[in-house]
Structure formats: structure tokens, C-alpha cells
Amino acid sequence: MSGTLGKVLGLWKDAVSKQAFSLLRFRILRENPICSAGGVVMRSSRHYRTKPTHGIGRYRHLVKVLEPKKKKAKVDVRAINLGTDYEYGVLNIHLTAYDMTLAESYAQYVHRLCNRLSIKVEESYAMPTKTMEVMRLPDQGNKMVLDSVLTTHERVVQISSLSATFAEIFLEILQSNLPEGVKLSVREHTEEDFKGRFKARPELEELLAKLN
Amino acid sequence: MAAPTGRTLLGVARGWRRLDSLWASSPRSRRLSLEAAPSGSRSPWRLLGALCLQRPPLITKPLTPLQQEMADLLQKVETERSLYSDHELRALDEAKRLAKKKADLYDDDQDEQGVTLAQDLEDTWEQAFLQFKPGARVTEADKKNDRTSLHRKLDRNLVLLVREKLGDQDFWMLPQVQWQPGETLRETAERILDKLSENNMEAKFLGNAPCGHYKYKLPKAMRTESDIGVKVFFFKALLLTGDFSQTGKNARHVWVSKEELGDYLQPKYLAQIRRFLLDV
């Protein structure tokens, strides 16, 4: 008897306390705007599913999912001609130098110049380094002696849709800003240029040779 | 930039140029064949093509004091941060061995050092370096201020100016020649190149479009119904090889940089030309 009474009383106390608590919360919520104006917001309510603000920060469902592009995208070599305004297709600007820092910094300059002049830069890559051993014949003796090792570095900046009227000015800028020791070569992009970047695959070549 | 003038020029050119183009694989060999303008509707303006022949700079400009300081600082930072190269490691190794040898006085095991020490190599390199004489940045033509020679101002663009007679007076101007019907303006410019030099000056035209224009009316005495004035279109070319044979005070040509143009050209002409001259 007393137990149930106690329980009932307990329940009643709980109910009362809940009500009191909700009243208290209500008061605190009312006070919230004032204390949030101060800077630090004291959140006293969590985002339950039943609350209207549930899922307020969700954005992932709005963003479109991009499929990761396959690396072997082939660019069609085309020359766009629009009446008297000619546009070049894809051009490769090759910068070759013995000094790597010089080649890289000039490639960087060319890239930034293109960005600035709103010329579309497709890619900016490096060709593999070529090492050359310079052998010298000494005054006495017949044997060639190793004199020095020279490394040739090449950087390529690939641009597209350069208008012919502007190409003239662009090439002049490139040429007059060329540092000493860097060779500049501007060519159209071809299949061989594209294929030259890939490593040779001897097994594949062997198999092909066997087939033929 | 000269790009907007190029665009307006094409607008002007479209009026009298028609495109019957023969396509070839590379843009350079595309030619535009023209029809001669019918004689009835001939424009009262005479057309001239002119050539702006430029010698590109051969060396870079010297660094300003600020740039020099920055370069030195960056170099210092880089050397302090860098790792030893093979040669330096070898030199340090050998220095240690030598010191050890001296300290130990008698060490048989470490006698296989090889014939050439790193120090010897450095000495030979130093010798070779002393024998190398780099070319002079300030040439004699600079010192004499001989403007007809090509060897001055190696770090600037030099433009060719010629002295020609217009009417009674002598004017300094960019070399120009009358356009003949049936050829493109660029071919007119190439003709100038042949006419100018008896000794094969080779120049590279970077594009088919002109880079600037100048228009002037003839003095009232000479004006007629069909001959109001002259329009000159400039084409840029970069000089590859070759030069004039005669130099000195009597020559009728001069190679000048952008600042010195003012000494020779008329103000209005100069104003139009400066718009397409690029200076580093």
C-alpha cells in the first residue's frame, strides 16, 4: 500500500517536476535570445527527430555526385576556324633547359601568364629527364674520360583555343621574357607527343610481335 | 594591348577582303586569295603595308637592387637548407681520411683512395673556368652610340627605321610600300623585306594579322576626288639573321629602342606606333 502510494506520489512528483522543468525550460528558452546576443549560445535543447530543426545542417543530398574521371581521356586534335577569326587547336609550349629550377620557374611564369590572359591551360606536365654524359679525350692517352654529367629538363604547358590575332602578341611576350639557357618551342599537339609520355611496355610489344 | 586594335582592323579589312580560302594542314600555309577591287568603286584611300622589323633581345636585363638582394637571400636560404651532393660528400670523406692519416701517422689499410682526389678535380675545374671569357654585356656600339649597328642594347627590342622622301621632305618612318591588288597585306610586308636588304635578311612573321595602323590625309594641295589620304597597316616580324651592309653616318637606316623613337618620328605617327611596341 505504502509502496504503491509511494510510487504514485513518486510519479506525481515526477509529473510535477517535469512540468516545473518544462516551465523552467520555457523560461530559459525565452531568456535565450538575450544570452545569445552576448555571443555564447547556451543550447539547452538537442535536435531530436521530433524537433522541427531536425536535420538542419544536411547538405550532402543536394550536392551532385561526380563520377571520378578515367585518366586515359583522349583530347581530339582540332583546329577551330570561325570565319576570319582563326583559333589554334591544342598547342604545346616546350621549355627545355639544363637547369631545372630555371625551366620550372619559367613554366610557372607561362602558366600564370595564361591564367591572367584567360587562355585555357589544359595541362602542365614534365617530360622525363634526359641524362647526358660528356666524355672528353685528355691530352695524354687515348681513353675517353668522363668530364661531366648533363641533365636536360623539359616542361610542357598545353594550351587550347588561342586566337590567331592574339597568338602573335603572346608569342612575342614569351620570346622577349625568355631567360638565358631556356629553349622555347611552340608546336601543335600530335599523337606522337601524346604517346611519347607513356612508358614503353616491352611485354606488350613482345606479344604484338608474336602475333604478327 | 594591341588585341583590340587587331579586332577593329579586321572589321575594316572585312569590307574589302573576301575569303576564298584554300585549307592546308597547318594554319601558317592557309592563304587568302583576293579579288582585285572593281575599278568603279575604288576607295579614295591609298593602301600601304609597312614592316615593323624587330630584333628580339639577346640577353636578359640586369636585376634591380631589390631583386638582387632578394635573389641573394633566397640563394642563401637554399644553400643552408640543401643536402650535400655526391661530390661534396666525397670531398668531406677524403678530408676526414687525410686528417686521420696525419693523426695516425702510419695507416696502410686506407691507402686505396684513388688517383684523383675531389680537391684535384676542383682545381682542374677552376683552371678551366678561368680560361672562359664570357661575352660583354655592354658592347662597343653601346659606348659609341652607333645607332645603325645591330649589336647595341642587347637586352632590348630594337626596331628598324628608314629615312624616306615623301613629297619634298625626308621623314624617318617604318619601311613601307604600296599595296598591289591581288596580294595580301602580309605579302606586301614580305616584299618590303626583300626590297630593303640586298643581303638576305630573314625574318619570322608571327601572324597574318596586322598589329597597328596609321591613317593620314594628304595636304590639301595634293588632294583629289579619288585620293584623299593614305592608310598604312603595320606588320610585325622578328629578325632572325642578316643585317644591312652599310653602317655609319650616311646610312639611311637606324635600329632604335622604344625610348629613342621619339628622336626620329613625328608625334602622331609615334603615338600610333607605340601602341603595338612591346617592351620588357
Side-chain angles (χ1 to χ4, degrees), chain B residues 192-201 243-246 253:
Chain B
I192 301 178
L193 200 63
D194 294 327
K195 184 187 104 170
L196 266 185
S197 62
E198 304 81 27
N199 51 340
N200 312 327
M201 291 218 278
D243 193 7
F244 283 100
S245 46
Q246 25 149 232
H253 73 276

Side-chain angles (χ1 to χ4, degrees), chain A residues 20-170:
Chain A
F21 189 55
S22 67
L23 278 171
L24 209 73
R25 240 190 337 171
F26 196 59
R27 218 178 283 154
I28 292 171
L29 278 172
R30 271 241 196 94
E31 283 168 11
N32 255 343
I34 304 171
C35 69
S36 68
V40 177
V41 174
M42 286 276 288
R43 281 264 169 83
S44 53
S45 65
R46 284 204 189 131
H47 286 167
Y48 295 115
R49 250 187 279 166
T50 48
K51 293 280 168 253
T53 50
H54 175 69
I56 193 170
R58 266 201 332 143
Y59 72 95
R60 279 266 147 188
H61 61 290
L62 299 168
V63 175
K64 282 196 198 136
V65 179
L66 293 165
E67 294 299 321
K69 254 205 273 186
K70 274 205 92 179
K71 289 286 174 171
K72 271 230 181 171
K74 202 170 153 184
V75 181
D76 296 316
V77 176
R78 72 213 192 283
I80 320 167
N81 305 310
L82 317 160
T84 46
D85 242 301
Y86 289 92
E87 271 188 9
Y88 286 100
V90 182
L91 288 176
N92 281 353
I93 306 176
H94 292 256
L95 306 160
T96 333
Y98 290 122
D99 188 4
M100 186 181 76
T101 52
L102 207 53
E104 276 189 350
S105 78
Y106 193 58
Q108 204 181 45
Y109 168 78
V110 169
H111 200 306
R112 291 175 118 234
L113 185 75
C114 293
N115 286 349
R116 179 83 189 193
L117 300 170
S118 348
I119 301 173
K120 180 149 188 273
V121 176
E122 305 271 343
E123 281 186 280
S124 173
Y125 55 88
M127 299 294 278
T129 319
K130 295 182 200 146
T131 321
M132 244 193 320
E133 286 187 344
V134 178
M135 310 282 269
R136 205 195 253 186
L137 193 65
D139 306 324
Q140 305 105 12
N142 280 326
K143 197 175 162 196
M144 300 274 264
V145 172
L146 179 66
D147 192 31
S148 44
V149 172
L150 290 175
T151 49
T152 309
H153 307 265
E154 189 171 340
R155 299 284 179 273
V156 182
V157 180
Q158 198 173 77
I159 53 177
S160 70
S161 63
L162 180 70
S163 82
T165 46
F166 188 60
E168 200 179 327
I169 304 165
F170 182 62

Side-chain angles (χ1 to χ4, degrees), chain B residues 143-195:
Chain B
K143 292 178 199 157
K144 283 194 278 178
N145 202 9
D146 175 19
R147 291 197 174 169
T148 56
S149 116
L150 256 187
H151 282 285
R152 41 187 297 268
K153 295 216 167 176
L154 297 173
D155 56 352
R156 309 291 305 277
N157 270 322
L158 290 181
V159 184
L160 177 70
L161 286 182
V162 282
R163 194 160 49 174
E164 278 182 19
K165 269 202 164 170
L166 282 184
D168 298 334
Q169 287 176 308
D170 250 355
F171 287 109
W172 280 105
M173 59 171 87
L174 294 177
Q176 60 194 29
V177 127
Q178 178 107 14
W179 172 74
Q180 278 159 9
E183 66 173 5
T184 63
L185 270 181
R186 180 172 149 167
E187 281 169 8
T188 319
E190 282 166 5
R191 233 181 350 124
I192 301 178
L193 200 63
D194 294 327
K195 184 187 104 170

